[in-house]
Amino acid sequence: MTKILLLSDTHSHIDDTILKYVAQADEVWHAGDIGDLVVTDTIKKLKPLRAVYGNIDDAKARLEFPLNNRFSCENVSVWITHIGGYPGKYNQNVREELALNPPKLFICGHSHILKVMFDKKNNLLHMNPGAAGKSGFHKVRTMLRFVIDDDKIKDLEIIEIGEK
């Protein structure tokens, strides 16, 4: 059983509230637009981190993190990318690969809109944790946490970490 904290779009912001939830997780996954690498460096001091770079991230972030991160957590195949879209409206850069080789869990960020949907066509769960940072149009900062237990994704929680 692995407890996951999923966040995105920190845009250089990290605070004690985010770190409180980091401490409760087994792993932290960041879906891009990290901003200053102080964010990921701080997380990595506390917990294992898997991340991707986003469209605002600089060359340093792009050297440290990939555009796409595909891996398995327990018996769940996962794909994290920053700009991925959502079921029925996937970004053209991921659409074909999702159809040919879908993961069980597809994660993206970018929109600053928290969204969790099951994609019946590709038989996968799509997650976007919204934005944990203070930059952008969103009103409430959000993250997701959930458990991966063997081949099951369960105990999903929305974390609202306050207005920006």
Side-chain angles (χ1 to χ4, degrees), residues 1-107:
M1 186 171 83
T2 308
K3 293 182 281 185
I4 307 299
L5 176 67
L6 174 60
L7 68 161
S8 187
D9 295 274
T10 48
H11 293 264
S12 302
H13 180 78
I14 188 93
D15 60 29
D16 289 341
T17 303
I18 293 171
L19 293 174
K20 175 182 84 170
Y21 288 101
V22 167
Q24 295 170 8
D26 295 322
E27 290 185 15
V28 179
W29 299 351
H30 195 301
D33 277 4
I34 297 159
D36 192 314
L37 290 181
V38 166
V39 171
T40 49
D41 290 345
T42 302
I43 292 168
K44 284 191 294 186
K45 287 177 187 169
L46 299 171
K47 297 292 173 164
L49 172 71
R50 299 179 193 259
V52 297
Y53 71 80
N55 57 294
I56 67 117
D57 291 317
D58 64 12
K60 285 183 187 176
R62 291 168 191 245
L63 283 172
E64 185 167 345
F65 301 107
L67 172 63
N68 295 294
N69 195 346
R70 288 197 80 151
F71 58 93
S72 290
C73 180
E74 299 200 20
N75 287 310
V76 173
S77 59
V78 180
W79 180 0
I80 304 175
T81 194
H82 183 61
I83 301 175
Y86 55 91
K89 300 271 186 186
Y90 288 119
N91 182 281
Q92 65 184 14
N93 296 327
V94 301
R95 196 175 302 139
E96 186 176 338
E97 181 69 16
L98 278 176
L100 293 173
N101 185 20
K104 184 165 186 166
L105 177 57
F106 179 67
I107 294 169

Side-chain angles (χ1 to χ4, degrees), residues 1 23 59-60 66 68 72 79 117 119 136 148 150 158 161 164:
M1 186 171 83
K60 285 183 187 176
N68 295 294
S72 290
W79 180 0
M117 301 172 66
D119 177 349
I148 294 182
D150 189 32
I158 295 169
I161 47 178
K164 36 179 217 173

